[in-house]
Amino acid sequence: MRSPTGESLQRLRIFLSNLPASAYIFIMFYVSIGILIAISFTVPRKYVVEWSFTLENYVRIFTDPRFLSPILNTFLIVTVATILLIIVGFPIAYYLARVNPNLGIKLIFFLIIPVEVNYLIRVYAWRNILGENGFLNSLLLSLGIIDKPLSFLFYSWFAVVIVLIHEWLPYVVIPFYVNLVGIPRQLYEAAMDLGANRWQIFTSITLPLVKPAVLTVLFIVFIPSLGEFAIPSLVGGESGIMLGVLIDRYLSDFRLAFGAALSFILLLVTMGLSILMIKIFGYEALYQR
Amino acid sequence: MAKSADVILKVDRVSKRFGETWALRDVSLDVYRGELLVLLGPSGSGKSTLLRIIAGLETATSGRLYMEGVDITDLPPYKRDTSMVFQHLALFPHMTVYENVAYGLKIRGVPKEEIDRRVDEVLSLVRIRELRDRKVTKLSGGQQQRVAIARSLILRPKILLLDEPLGALDLKLRKELHIELKRLHEEVGNTWIFVTHDQEEALTLADRIGVMNEGRLIQVGEKWDVYDYPKTRFVAEFIGETNMFTVSIDDVSGGVATGSWKGFRVSFKDGGFRPGETIYLSVRPENLHISKEPPAGEEYNVFHGVVDVEVFRGSYVIYHIRLDNGEIIRVTVLSKDAEFDPGDRVYVYWRFDKGVPLRE
Ligand SMILES: Nc1ncnc2c1ncn2[C@@H]1O[C@H](COP(=O)(O)OP(=O)(O)OP(=O)(O)O)[C@@H](O)[C@H]1O
Ligand SMILES: [Mg+2]
């Protein structure tokens, strides 16, 4: 048995060797969040922080309809984008994993390439497609389907959803692909042997077994997207405004207390949702069937 | 057996090719109603492929299948009256025991009350009624085994196909389940085709055994027949233990062929042989006898040698005897008669008609 002093020496050594990393995380993460939370309870002032406690910021956010709508908008946009992402991404993954697995194994790598392209470049590409003088409008005009450019295509709610889908699609296809490939072929054969046709196999075996991928998508796409500010501020215009844009506006306008309050609300919401999902499905659901 | 006349499934010259490999070559087989047929063969011999073709999960490259006289070659699996218990069970991991077992009936739209009744019935049959609401991922190997069988049995298939269903279990549990499976087969009374590469399992379970090798069905028959009268060296060596002698025949007369094997003279029943022919003679260790004195009588082949090794197996003993020509042969003796020690000089002998001459 080790002597008590030896043991505490050991502990001290472990503590000291972990200190730099812990300190880094603590200062860069928790302390800054602490400061943010503290500031959110101070009196709204421009340029300065006046250290006196008040709930004023929060009261305003929850009573003023001008704030409520971007918050709801955020949820709506992200929810719609996530649902569409699954609707688009799942069939692609299904095709690559089950219908044409030989192609799938080659093609899945190509899905990762767009991720490497800077999103600014992608945003400009979308402007060229969706903008007032963009490809889509020119096409529709020259075909005579419309007689003046469609304006809702760009600087809009619609554009945010489109660009979000483009941004996140690989992150949806890949988890579904990995999940689907991992389902043993024998399960499908057993179901077929027990009398199920293709559709019944799909609904009774495939769908329930891709729950882990759905959860992964919720965690790596839905929740992070709630804080998105680059895409809505670049392509969103007024109808595509999101909480992130609002926070950015207040912070760059040096209305720190207010920006901090909005940030804290966002933080609480994403944390709450994460905890809720873990409570409902359990940690295991992410990797276990 | 009276039921022998009643063929429920006829496999007619079925072959299957995967790319360059022939998994099955020209397999023909009659399966009788109510029997437990075991397909036995080493890994890669085509057992699973044959079973999957019968189940409809694989299509034959050539050949036809008939069930009760009807050609089912092109029917999809869900229209066949067969059900398969898979090599790795393939239980649905997101479902409970009940949901797994009820699956086939639910797919068919059977009313809930009837499903409940039949699930209870079949779970009692395989003796896991108390596990009804457990997740299948939370069961032991033996319990999962029973769920897999129940899931198929509940559909009352005309033919139950079992692909090495005990493969993943330990020896003791396997042996227990062998007895239970036999009981179950008696109780249910339908036809089973059971695949295994374990000859002991085959001998325990089977009514009839079909031996496969390299995609061919080499021999099918009552298990005693296959054991006592193997058709080829492969069958003789794969089922049970045997001593194999390569004999050049030099005399055939009066229904007895005689030849020499490494300096010893051996005689056996003539099977239409000609002098000059070389055959393989298979003699089971339990048909050999040892004694310190030479046996009296003309009907024996007699070798002479020294006891080399004695292997104690509980109820019996295996002696390895080094013969005077330097070869080793194995003899089994009941433990109560095992009175020899390594180093003893002994005679080894067997009756002419206990040797099985094989051409290939
Ligand atoms: N889907 C497939 N594609 C290519 N080759 C296959 C396929 N299925 C089986 N084979 C080949 O066919 C041959 C027979 O395989 P099969 O699975 O029927 O053997 P088995 O007797 O069941 O063996 P085991 O005891 O190992 O299960 C093997 O050579 C195998 O490699
Ligand atoms: Mg197999």
Side-chain angles (χ1 to χ4, degrees):
Chain A
M1 214 178 89
R2 207 183 277 123
S3 73
T5 47
E7 199 168 304
S8 48
L9 207 67
Q10 180 82 358
R11 281 215 194 111
L12 187 68
R13 201 178 293 141
I14 291 172
F15 175 77
L16 286 177
S17 62
N18 282 325
L19 194 60
S22 314
Y24 178 80
I25 299 236
F26 187 75
I27 294 166
M28 301 305 270
F29 190 68
Y30 290 104
V31 171
S32 36
I33 286 178
I35 294 172
L36 176 113
I37 295 170
I39 292 177
S40 77
F41 289 100
T42 63
V43 185
R45 285 275 178 282
K46 213 170 169 176
Y47 303 116
V48 292
V49 175
E50 188 182 312
W51 291 104
S52 60
F53 179 84
T54 171
L55 286 174
E56 200 184 326
N57 299 314
Y58 291 95
V59 172
R60 241 185 90 194
I61 289 169
F62 286 112
T63 50
D64 190 337
R66 284 185 303 142
F67 295 108
L68 207 58
S69 102
I71 292 176
L72 292 181
N73 218 15
T74 303
F75 271 95
L76 208 62
I77 287 175
V78 174
T79 307
V80 169
T82 306
I83 292 172
L84 288 176
L85 272 165
I86 292 176
I87 291 176
V88 175
F90 178 70
I92 296 176
Y94 188 83
Y95 180 80
L96 296 180
R98 295 266 299 133
V99 183
N100 200 342
N102 291 332
L103 178 71
I105 215 160
K106 293 173 198 136
L107 220 62
I108 198 78
F109 293 104
F110 287 97
L111 272 173
I112 302 169
I113 293 174
V115 178
E116 306 297 326
V117 178
N118 185 296
Y119 75 86
L120 270 175
I121 295 174
R122 279 186 281 168
V123 165
Y124 286 118
W126 279 110
R127 193 218 294 274
N128 283 332
I129 296 170
L130 299 175
E132 296 248 332
N133 303 316
F135 171 75
L136 202 59
N137 270 322
S138 315
L139 184 72
L140 293 175
L141 280 170
S142 69
L143 290 175
I145 295 171
I146 52 173
D147 44 42
K148 62 178 191 329
L150 296 174
S151 56
F152 75 86
L153 290 180
F154 208 62
Y155 291 127
S156 65
W157 199 91
F158 179 79
V160 178
V161 171
I162 293 287
V163 178
L164 273 176
I165 289 175
H166 184 209
E167 169 94 12
W168 289 111
L169 193 59
Y171 296 90
V172 175
V173 174
I174 290 168
F176 275 110
Y177 176 81
V178 171
N179 193 161
L180 285 167
V181 164
I183 300 175
R185 194 188 59 169
Q186 283 205 332
L187 293 188
Y188 299 115
E189 292 184 343
M192 206 191 305
D193 182 74
L194 293 168
N197 59 32
R198 287 183 171 280
W199 175 247
Q200 288 166 323
I201 291 174
F202 181 74
T203 54
S204 67
I205 310 295
T206 313
L207 281 189
L209 288 179
V210 293
K211 201 173 83 174
V214 174
L215 262 168
T216 308
V217 166
L218 290 181
F219 271 108
I220 69 176
V221 175
F222 181 79
I223 290 180
S225 293
L226 290 173
E228 184 69 52
F229 86 98
I231 291 172
S233 55
L234 286 169
V235 307
E238 267 316 299
S239 83
I241 200 165
M242 287 171 64
L243 202 48
V245 179
L246 216 57
I247 294 171
D248 181 47
R249 274 188 204 165
Y250 280 100
L251 292 181
S252 30
D253 202 25
F254 297 102
R255 285 156 53 185
L256 300 179
F258 212 77
L262 284 170
S263 303
F264 188 44
I265 289 173
L266 182 60
L267 184 70
L268 281 182
V269 168
T270 51
M271 252 169 58
L273 281 175
S274 307
I275 292 169
L276 188 71
M277 278 194 261
I278 289 169
K279 273 268 155 14
I280 294 175
F281 299 106
Y283 283 111
E284 304 86 11
L286 271 175
Y287 53 87
Q288 212 181 51
R289 288 190 198 98
Chain B
M1 245 190 276
K3 59 188 172 188
S4 299
D6 190 1
V7 174
I8 188 166
L9 179 78
K10 191 173 187 65
V11 178
D12 188 23
R13 311 199 56 178
V14 164
S15 296
K16 174 70 189 182
R17 192 176 62 188
F18 290 108
E20 293 298 296
T21 45
W22 285 94
L24 291 177
R25 302 168 205 244
D26 212 14
V27 172
S28 292
L29 169 70
D30 285 350
V31 181
Y32 302 135
R33 189 182 302 281
E35 76 169 328
L36 201 170
L37 174 70
V38 173
L39 293 175
L40 174 67
S43 184
S45 56
K47 309 177 297 287
S48 296
T49 306
L50 179 54
L51 220 56
R52 290 167 58 81
I53 286 175
I54 295 172
L57 295 169
E58 210 82 73
T59 48
T61 309
S62 64
R64 316 285 317 162
L65 291 176
Y66 303 90
M67 187 137 156
E68 301 181 314
V70 181
D71 188 332
I72 59 161
T73 319
D74 302 316
L75 283 190
Y78 52 87
K79 290 196 182 148
R80 295 188 186 200
D81 216 345
T82 58
S83 190
M84 177 115 149
V85 178
F86 287 82
Q87 200 158 4
H88 301 288
L89 304 183
L91 296 178
F92 305 129
H94 55 300
M95 298 183 189
T96 61
V97 171
Y98 172 87
E99 289 163 337
N100 264 278
V101 175
Y103 188 85
L105 294 181
K106 224 174 127 193
I107 288 289
R108 285 167 176 72
V110 173
K112 176 98 170 56
E113 310 81 71
E114 191 186 338
I115 294 182
D116 283 355
R117 189 176 54 71
R118 278 170 67 176
V119 169
D120 277 348
E121 194 180 287
V122 76
L123 287 183
S124 311
L125 198 63
V126 295
R127 305 187 170 167
I128 47 167
R129 212 171 148 181
E130 69 284 359
L131 301 175
R132 189 177 187 273
D133 298 312
R134 188 91 68 85
K135 267 252 158 145
V136 287
T137 46
K138 306 244 152 73
L139 297 177
S140 73
Q143 292 165 335
Q144 290 185 338
Q145 188 47 59
R146 290 158 201 255
V147 178
I149 291 175
R151 187 176 68 173
S152 286
L153 275 184
I154 197 167
L155 299 173
R156 299 172 183 155
K158 291 212 173 96
I159 304 182
L160 185 67
L161 307 165
L162 302 103
D163 189 358
E164 304 203 29
L166 308 182
L169 306 178
D170 65 62
L171 192 62
K172 187 158 178 292
L173 190 55
R174 287 173 77 124
K175 287 190 168 166
E176 280 169 33
L177 284 170
H178 288 156
I179 309 300
E180 270 214 53
L181 285 175
K182 265 205 99 64
R183 168 191 68 83
L184 200 58
H185 175 249
E186 295 285 314
E187 274 181 52
V188 179
N190 61 352
T191 310
W192 288 19
I193 304 179
F194 188 106
V195 158
T196 179
H197 62 251
D198 175 355
Q199 51 106 6
E200 202 179 316
E201 186 162 280
L203 290 171
T204 314
L205 285 172
D207 297 331
R208 290 196 312 148
I209 290 182
V211 183
M212 296 188 66
N213 190 32
E214 293 175 345
R216 289 200 173 78
L217 183 62
I218 298 173
Q219 184 173 4
V220 193
E222 299 291 328
K223 61 182 162 192
W224 305 118
D225 280 348
V226 176
Y227 184 82
D228 287 337
Y229 304 105
K231 273 210 315 225
T232 69
R233 265 198 309 169
F234 175 81
V235 176
E237 282 172 342
F238 198 71
I239 300 187
E241 297 259 317
T242 196
N243 297 290
M244 196 66 73
F245 310 121
T246 309
V247 182
S248 342
I249 299 176
D250 49 35
D251 179 51
V252 182
S253 58
V256 175
T258 307
S260 61
W261 168 69
K262 299 199 168 162
F264 283 116
R265 298 293 293 165
V266 282
S267 297
F268 44 91
K269 272 213 276 205
D270 179 25
F273 303 117
R274 283 186 313 276
E277 218 178 320
T278 301
I279 58 95
Y280 308 99
L281 187 68
S282 159
V283 187
R284 301 275 183 206
E286 67 270 23
N287 290 329
L288 289 166
H289 308 281
I290 332 181
S291 65
K292 295 209 166 126
E293 305 301 320
E298 287 292 290
E299 71 276 31
Y300 294 107
N301 289 307
V302 185
F303 293 165
H304 188 254
V306 180
V307 175
D308 193 31
V309 177
E310 179 184 25
V311 182
F312 181 61
R313 283 284 176 78
S315 56
Y316 64 99
V317 171
I318 305 168
Y319 288 108
H320 292 221
I321 315 280
R322 182 174 297 283
L323 301 177
D324 291 348
N325 66 5
E327 297 290 318
I328 302 266
I329 67 172
R330 282 158 303 167
V331 182
T332 50
V333 175
L334 288 177
S335 293
K336 63 183 169 56
D337 304 325
E339 54 197 15
F340 308 94
D341 296 310
D344 286 357
R345 300 197 59 80
V346 291
Y347 292 90
V348 180
Y349 57 96
W350 76 94
R351 283 174 57 110
F352 293 165
D353 57 359
K354 290 294 185 187
V356 182
L358 305 166
R359 278 210 161 97
E360 42 178 321

